[in-house]
């Protein structure tokens, strides 16, 4: 009997997880979920994170060493960074247009505002503290932070992904510059590691329906009451509509226009990564699956994907930047602060930079939002207003972040003449073989 396609399995796991969570809340069995269900979700995310660093190292070093000459690397690098910037600015602009049109800040009533501020003040303060640490650093700190002092130290934490990328690119450049026969053994080694890691991803993905079930059940059990969500409905709708425009209109049209690939082909290929991004709220945890989907199902050559995707997962966050723009205007509106046109331009700039600086982990976008708020003179304590709905919006924006990376990788591949026919014609066979 044919097994159900993976994206359906994941979707069923997600829906079942939500229903199970609701049922457990009704039965007052939240502790059971925390003790016996949530750990499986945590294990699933750990497995994904576990292979992120070996995957980046192996595929990026191998990918760059294959480029053969440095000029190819710089041409691909420029295209990648340029596209990432353009897509982020498009996202912020869409977010700003929607939020200015709807003006959700004005719809939140005074009592609701007081209540939200009071109940989430403590949580907001923690985020502000983290962000203040970042702000206290000099303007070039981000650049300094990219360069590791010690590769093992860098590889010890998934938060240092940019440092690992830096090392891998540098190492790869070293390999291009030595003689072919000298670099051959290393290339073979990293290629072999890469194959093994990809197989490990296949195996982890077999457990993904259970993983997302556990993650979503635990999330439902932890969520605040529905009343709070309703007060924030218009704000959430603005974010979700903006994100939906990116996923359903901007990316598919860009893929179709530049690569000629059909929209269903794009969605069929990328959907498991999207669903996983939604369930884990982390582009870093999703990266291994994004890479596998893009290479084997969308036909992007490894040479391109292994360079474009790890960088994208760390710096290209279109969903996050869109959300930050909407949230900043919403908080300003709710606190009765008028924003001028130049304030809006500052939002475009700071949200672009803040999204680049956000780590690819759950809730990171909200930490960096503090910087956007600070730049336009809105009190950071306003974060408390949006805290309650941040997790569901984080899930949605992470989906956009991952889809944006996949889109750019397809476009760069097309421009570099590296967009192939996908390896796996029948994409489910792949998992059935695993
Ligand atoms: N969770 C997002 C990501 O990993 C970042 C954020 O917006 O919080 O892509």
């Amino acid at each position: 009997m044919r097994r159900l396609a993976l994206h359906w399995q994941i979707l069923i796991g997600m829906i079942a997880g939500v229903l199970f969570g609701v049922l457990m809340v009704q039965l007052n069995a939240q502790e059971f979920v925390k003790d016996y269900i949530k750990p499986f979700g945590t294990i699933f995310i750990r497995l994904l994170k576990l292979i992120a660093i070996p995957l980046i190292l192996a595929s990026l070093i191998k990918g760059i060493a294959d480029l053969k000459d440095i000029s190819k690397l710089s041409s691909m690098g420029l295209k990648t960074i340029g596209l990432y910037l353009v897509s982020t600015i498009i996202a912020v602009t869409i977010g700003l247009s929607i939020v200015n049109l709807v003006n959700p800040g004005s719809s939140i009533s005074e009592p609701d505002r007081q209540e939200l501020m009071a109940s989430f003040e403590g949580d907001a303060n923690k985020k502000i503290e983290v962000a203040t640490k970042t702000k206290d650093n000099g303007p070039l700190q981000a650049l300094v932070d990219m360069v590791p002092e010690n590769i093992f130290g860098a590889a010890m934490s998934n938060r240092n992904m940019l440092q690992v990328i830096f090392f891998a690119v540098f190492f790869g450049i070293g390999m291009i510059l030595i003689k072919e026969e000298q670099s051959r053994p290393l290339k073979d080694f990293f290629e072999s590691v890469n194959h093994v890691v990809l197989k490990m991803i296949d195996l982890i993905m077999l457990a993904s329906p259970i993983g997302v079930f556990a993650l979503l059940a635990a999330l439902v059990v932890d969520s605040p009451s529905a009343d709070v969500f309703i007060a924030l409905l218009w704000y959430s709708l603005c974010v979700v509509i903006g994100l939906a425009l990116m996923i359903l209109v901007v990316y598919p049209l860009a893929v179709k226009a530049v690569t000629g690939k059909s929209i269903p082909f794009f969605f069929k290929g990328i959907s498991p990564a999207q669903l996983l991004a939604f369930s884990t709220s982390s582009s870093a945890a999703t990266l291994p699956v994004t890479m596998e989907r893009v290479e084997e199902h969308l036909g992007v050559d490894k040479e391109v994907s292994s360079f474009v995707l790890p960088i994208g997962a760390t710096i290209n966050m279109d969903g996050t930047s869109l959300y930050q723009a909407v949230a900043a205007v919403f908080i300003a509106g709710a606190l009765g602060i008028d924003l001028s046109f130049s304030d809006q331009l500052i939002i475009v700039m700071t949200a672009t930079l803040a999204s680049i600086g956000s780590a690819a982990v759950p809730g990171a976008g909200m930490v960096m939002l503090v910087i956007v708020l600070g730049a336009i003179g809105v009190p950071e304590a306003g974060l408390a207003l949006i805290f309650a709905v941040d997790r569901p919006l984080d899930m949605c924006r992470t989906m956009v972040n991952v889809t944006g990376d996949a889109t750019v990788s397809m476009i760069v591949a097309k421009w570099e003449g590296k967009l192939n026919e996908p390896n796996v014609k029948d994409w489910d066979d792949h998992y059935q073989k695993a």
Side-chain angles (χ1 to χ4, degrees), residues 281-283 317 320 359-365 394 397-398 401:
S281 283
S282 165
S283 348
M317 303 209 177
T320 300
V361 296
D394 192 3
R397 64 188 188 244
T398 309
N401 293 345

Side-chain angles (χ1 to χ4, degrees), residues 120-136 159 281 320 323-324 331 358-374 379-392 394 397:
F120 293 100
E121 217 173 358
D123 296 324
N125 284 339
K126 272 189 228 141
K127 297 262 173 197
I128 294 169
E129 230 173 77
V130 178
T132 324
K133 279 200 198 118
T134 318
K135 259 201 303 196
D136 284 346
R159 286 185 184 259
S281 283
T320 300
Y323 142 84
Q324 284 168 337
I331 294 174
S358 302
V361 296
M366 194 174 195
V367 173
M368 297 304 275
L369 174 59
V370 173
I371 291 173
V372 182
L373 293 179
E380 282 100 346
L383 272 197
L385 288 174
I386 55 166
F387 221 96
V389 284
D390 201 62
R391 182 60 194 231
D394 192 3
R397 64 188 188 244

Side-chain angles (χ1 to χ4, degrees), residues 123-199:
D123 296 324
N125 284 339
K126 272 189 228 141
K127 297 262 173 197
I128 294 169
E129 230 173 77
V130 178
T132 324
K133 279 200 198 118
T134 318
K135 259 201 303 196
D136 284 346
N137 296 327
L140 294 186
Q141 190 58 36
L143 207 63
V144 175
D145 284 344
M146 249 174 65
V147 185
E149 301 181 87
N150 179 311
I151 180 58
F152 297 104
M156 260 163 65
S157 158
N158 283 11
R159 286 185 184 259
N160 295 336
M161 213 116 96
L162 264 185
Q163 298 193 344
V164 177
I165 291 173
F166 178 87
F167 175 80
V169 173
F170 201 12
F171 195 90
I173 291 175
M175 279 172 71
I176 299 179
L177 297 178
I178 59 175
K179 289 201 194 89
E180 169 77 22
E181 69 263 22
Q182 290 170 324
S183 61
R184 187 81 262 155
L186 267 180
K187 260 194 212 167
D188 291 343
F189 169 75
F190 284 116
E191 184 160 8
S192 164
V193 173
N194 205 17
H195 282 307
V196 175
V197 174
L198 287 179
K199 186 44 82 184

Side-chain angles (χ1 to χ4, degrees), residues 2 26 31 33 60 79 98 127 142 144 159 172 196 202 221 223 256 263 265 274 278 294 306 327 379:
R2 279 188 68 79
Q26 300 301 326
E31 287 307 310
V33 176
L60 200 54
K79 283 174 193 149
I98 296 176
K127 297 262 173 197
V144 175
R159 286 185 184 259
V196 175
D202 280 350
V221 168
S223 299
K256 177 114 189 79
I263 294 175
F265 167 85
Q274 290 176 323
F278 183 82
V294 161
S306 61

Side-chain angles (χ1 to χ4, degrees), residues 105-106 108 110 113 329-337 385:
S106 61
I108 191 152
E110 185 57 32
R113 187 171 77 200
V329 176
F330 168 74
I331 294 174
L335 298 178
I337 300 170
L385 288 174

